[in-house]
């Protein structure tokens, strides 16, 4: 069949989508980006917070409209399907099949029933069809999460942390590199817990050493690191390995110890400050990134002041934040002291305004530096290239480097760029030869 595929949500969900598209491709189905041409449409949904759920429902209705054309099958899977399987079946009759995540071990049989009698590889054994830019790809090293933060529904959707065998990950990394991936981005709900369930020890350092030996890779980046799982061995490993970027993505969620306890987050702000000092001791020019939640139940002005003070003192290179979303099936849903949405939004605005000033000041100090940039685009009108240096993760979660070049540069290449100016989140520069393709 001619199949359209829509992938929503995070990069961890995207890896699942790539595996499913690989299954379809191996079975002889044709993937199309035009829903009007599709005989079947599969939507991999996110169901993490209200805005994600609303987006997923909107896309389902949008795709259901194509049943007036060629569309024969509308299939919904992913996190929203896991959380609301029965409700989706009842409320949206245009959906032909709702597939929960727990059914993925038999997904090849389910899709065989729905799409036609062709043999598909299993979800576990499927070779991914990468949907990212060809030079950058995600390596999901574990599934689920065992932290059970009180605001988060992921453990109830995806289950507890399950690490994938190291030899399988290394082989997958080699395949991706052989197919042109130059930047490998390690992801999981908590990458720092990798191996605890499988090898009874934290094993991220060992995994990084083995991936670092893959010749074709140029950058290795790690996302979603839990602060109290980052030990000195891991920091030293990241500092020593030539392909591993000193990019520390450490979602803290708050900076007030009482709020952290309410969130069921381990560690204290004193311990976090010690951790950041240790990173700066071992790593040359590390990138420090975090995320925070404002408006969590019982967050008063004093707790928010602690957060603002901490952010101002720490001067994070990159920071994201969002207002608390009250999610059913989480402990915090029933907490007393729910914060008014308007107050939460006001605090979010204040926090992001503070971070904008910090980011602009941090980037201004980088004027005059020469940095290595992965080239990802060219604006035909202005003639300016855009790309990322080691301080920026894919998918525009961080800032970009915009630069000019006297020579044509193939996309996916690495080039040295001298920084000449800085904006709030982005850098401006001029490229220099040679280019590393």
């Amino acid at each position: 069949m001619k199949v359209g595929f829509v992938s929503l949500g995070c990069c961890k969900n995207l890896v699942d989508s790539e595996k499913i598209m690989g299954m379809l491709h191996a079975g002889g189905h044709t993937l199309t980006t035009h829903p009007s041409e599709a005989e079947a449409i599969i939507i991999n949904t996110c169901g993490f917070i209200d805005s994600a759920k609303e987006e997923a429902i909107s896309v389902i209705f949008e795709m259901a409209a194509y049943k007036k054309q060629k569309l024969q099958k509308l299939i919904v899977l992913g996190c929203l399907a896991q959380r609301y399987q029965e409700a989706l079946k009842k409320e949206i009759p245009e959906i032909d099949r709702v597939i929960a995540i727990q059914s993925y071990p038999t997904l090849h049989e389910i899709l065989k029933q729905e799409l036609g009698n062709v043999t598909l590889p299993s979800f576990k054994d499927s070779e991914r069809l990468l949907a990212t830019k060809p030079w950058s790809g995600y390596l999901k090293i574990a599934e689920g999460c065992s932290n059970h933060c009180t605001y988060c529904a992921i453990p109830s959707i995806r289950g507890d942390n399950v690490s994938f065998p190291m030899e399988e990950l290394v082989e997958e990394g080699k395949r991706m590199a052989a197919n042109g991936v130059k930047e490998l981005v390690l992801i999981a709900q908590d990458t720092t817990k990798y191996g605890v369930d499988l090898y009874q020890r934290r094993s991220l350092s060992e995994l990084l050493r083995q991936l670092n030996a893959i010749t074709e890779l140029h950058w290795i980046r790690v996302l979603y690191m839990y602060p109290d799982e980052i030990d000195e061995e891991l920091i030293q490993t990241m500092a020593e390995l030539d392909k591993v970027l000193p990019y520390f993505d450490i979602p803290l969620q708050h900076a007030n110890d009482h709020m952290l306890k309410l969130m069921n987050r381990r560690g204290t702000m004193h311990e976090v400050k010690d951790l950041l000092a240790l990173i700066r001791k071992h790593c040359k020019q590390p990138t420090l990134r975090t995320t925070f939640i404002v408006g969590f139940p019982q967050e008063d002005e004093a707790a928010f002041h602690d957060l603002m003070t901490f952010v101002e003192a720490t001067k994070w290179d990159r920071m994201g934040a969002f207002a608390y979303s009250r999610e059913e099936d989480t402990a915090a849903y029933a907490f007393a002291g729910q914060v008014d949405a308007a107050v939460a939004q006001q605090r979010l605005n204040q926090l992001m305004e503070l971070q904008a000033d910090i980011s602009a000041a941090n980037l201004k100090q980088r004027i005059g530096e020469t940095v290595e940039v992965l080239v990802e685009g060219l604006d035909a009108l202005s003639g300016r290239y855009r790309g990322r240096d080691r301080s920026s993760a894919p998918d525009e979660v961080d800032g970009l480097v915009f630069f000019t070049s006297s020579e044509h540069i193939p996309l996916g290449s690495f080039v040295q760029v001298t920084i000449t100016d800085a904006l709030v989140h982005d850098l401006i520069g001029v490229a220099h030869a040679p280019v590393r393709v």
Side-chain angles (χ1 to χ4, degrees), residues 322-390:
F322 55 93
Y324 168 69
S325 176
R326 191 181 184 189
E327 288 299 308
E328 56 195 3
D329 304 322
T330 65
Y333 184 85
F335 281 4
Q338 298 286 331
V339 176
D340 183 78
V343 173
Q345 184 61 48
Q346 182 182 35
R347 290 174 182 172
L348 178 62
N349 294 342
Q350 285 182 253
L351 180 61
M352 295 312 295
E353 287 171 7
L354 172 61
Q355 178 59 26
D357 291 340
I358 292 170
S359 177
N362 285 347
L363 293 184
K364 188 175 181 180
Q365 294 178 16
R366 299 186 60 187
I367 294 174
E369 285 184 18
T370 297
V371 299
E372 184 179 50
V373 174
L374 173 54
V375 186
E376 296 197 305
L378 171 64
D379 183 82
L381 291 178
S382 68
R384 287 200 312 180
Y385 288 90
R386 65 181 180 275
R388 294 180 289 111
D389 72 341
R390 69 180 194 171

Side-chain angles (χ1 to χ4, degrees), residues 106-181:
T106 59
L107 184 59
H108 57 298
E109 295 294 340
I110 297 171
L111 292 180
K112 182 177 179 179
Q113 295 169 12
E114 295 297 329
L115 303 181
N117 191 25
V118 295
T119 300
L120 303 175
S122 70
F123 178 78
K124 181 181 183 297
D125 297 328
S126 173
E127 292 243 356
R128 290 161 58 191
L129 198 63
L130 294 186
T132 53
K133 294 181 175 73
W135 48 81
S136 183
Y138 293 105
L139 182 67
K140 185 158 71 168
I141 66 175
E143 182 62 275
C145 186
S146 300
N147 290 323
H148 296 275
C149 301
T150 58
Y151 52 81
C152 183
I154 291 298
S156 65
I157 299 172
R158 294 271 181 174
D160 284 338
N161 180 78
V162 177
S163 301
F164 301 146
M166 193 174 300
E167 61 273 16
E168 293 181 8
L169 294 173
V170 174
E171 285 304 311
E172 186 174 359
K174 288 178 179 178
R175 286 196 301 271
M176 294 171 70
N179 288 327
V181 169

Side-chain angles (χ1 to χ4, degrees), residues 238-305:
M238 293 179 68
E240 292 166 3
L241 296 178
D242 61 322
K243 296 175 184 177
V244 177
L245 303 177
Y247 182 96
F248 290 84
D249 176 34
I250 313 171
L252 295 180
Q253 313 307 3
H254 216 280
N256 172 275
D257 287 345
H258 175 62
M259 298 307 299
L260 291 174
K261 288 181 179 178
L262 286 173
M263 292 176 169
N264 196 33
R265 301 282 297 183
R266 301 184 301 274
T268 65
M269 278 301 101
H270 178 75
E271 291 166 343
V272 169
K273 290 175 183 177
D274 287 345
L275 170 63
L276 300 183
L278 194 62
I279 292 171
R280 286 170 167 148
K281 172 186 173 183
H282 286 291
C283 298
K284 182 181 179 181
Q285 293 184 310
T287 299
L288 299 177
R289 189 183 201 284
T290 193
T291 55
F292 293 111
I293 299 172
V294 298
F296 190 76
Q298 300 179 36
E299 183 190 61
D300 56 16
E301 288 298 332
F304 179 66
H305 176 76

Side-chain angles (χ1 to χ4, degrees), residues 3-264:
V3 182
F5 202 104
V6 181
S7 185
L8 304 174
C10 66
C11 54
K12 296 175 284 294
N13 215 36
L14 178 63
V15 172
D16 289 351
S17 295
E18 291 174 340
K19 289 178 74 69
I20 299 167
M21 287 190 289
M23 294 170 63
L24 298 170
H25 179 72
H29 296 292
T30 302
L31 291 164
T32 178
T33 56
H34 303 289
S36 60
E37 299 177 355
E39 298 165 290
I41 292 178
I42 300 175
I43 306 171
N44 190 7
T45 59
C46 177
F48 181 47
I49 57 176
D50 283 343
S51 58
K53 289 183 281 189
E54 289 167 5
E55 179 189 25
I57 295 297
S58 175
V59 170
I60 291 170
F61 279 118
E62 180 185 350
M63 295 300 110
Y66 288 101
K67 284 211 161 182
K68 298 175 183 177
Q69 301 181 29
K70 294 182 180 181
L71 186 62
Q72 302 169 32
K73 294 283 185 176
L74 180 60
I75 300 170
V76 176
L77 41 73
C79 292
L80 192 76
Q82 178 70 31
R83 292 189 79 178
Y84 305 106
Q85 186 173 11
E86 296 306 318
L88 287 170
K89 290 177 182 177
K90 180 180 178 182
E91 300 296 332
I92 311 179
E94 292 90 345
I95 299 175
D96 295 285
R97 193 72 177 255
V98 179
I99 307 173
I101 294 169
Q102 64 190 17
S103 298
Y104 282 8
T106 59
L107 184 59
H108 57 298
E109 295 294 340
I110 297 171
L111 292 180
K112 182 177 179 179
Q113 295 169 12
E114 295 297 329
L115 303 181
N117 191 25
V118 295
T119 300
L120 303 175
S122 70
F123 178 78
K124 181 181 183 297
D125 297 328
S126 173
E127 292 243 356
R128 290 161 58 191
L129 198 63
L130 294 186
T132 53
K133 294 181 175 73
W135 48 81
S136 183
Y138 293 105
L139 182 67
K140 185 158 71 168
I141 66 175
E143 182 62 275
C145 186
S146 300
N147 290 323
H148 296 275
C149 301
T150 58
Y151 52 81
C152 183
I154 291 298
S156 65
I157 299 172
R158 294 271 181 174
D160 284 338
N161 180 78
V162 177
S163 301
F164 301 146
M166 193 174 300
E167 61 273 16
E168 293 181 8
L169 294 173
V170 174
E171 285 304 311
E172 186 174 359
K174 288 178 179 178
R175 286 196 301 271
M176 294 171 70
N179 288 327
V181 169
K182 301 172 186 177
E183 178 190 29
L184 195 66
V185 185
L186 274 58
I187 55 172
Q189 295 297 335
D190 178 358
T191 53
T192 43
K193 202 181 286 297
Y194 175 74
V196 171
D197 58 313
L198 198 57
Y199 306 115
Q200 290 71 57
R201 66 183 187 280
R202 295 175 190 154
S203 304
L204 181 57
S205 292
E206 184 179 347
L207 176 61
L208 288 173
R209 291 189 195 99
Q210 293 197 35
L211 294 172
N212 195 74
I214 299 175
T215 305
E216 299 93 337
L217 292 178
H218 189 63
W219 281 354
I220 299 172
R221 191 185 301 272
V222 183
L223 302 185
Y224 315 123
M225 308 171 78
Y226 204 98
D228 79 325
E229 303 276 355
I230 303 173
D231 54 25
E232 191 163 11
E233 180 198 4
L234 178 58
I235 296 170
Q236 289 177 329
T237 298
M238 293 179 68
E240 292 166 3
L241 296 178
D242 61 322
K243 296 175 184 177
V244 177
L245 303 177
Y247 182 96
F248 290 84
D249 176 34
I250 313 171
L252 295 180
Q253 313 307 3
H254 216 280
N256 172 275
D257 287 345
H258 175 62
M259 298 307 299
L260 291 174
K261 288 181 179 178
L262 286 173
M263 292 176 169
N264 196 33

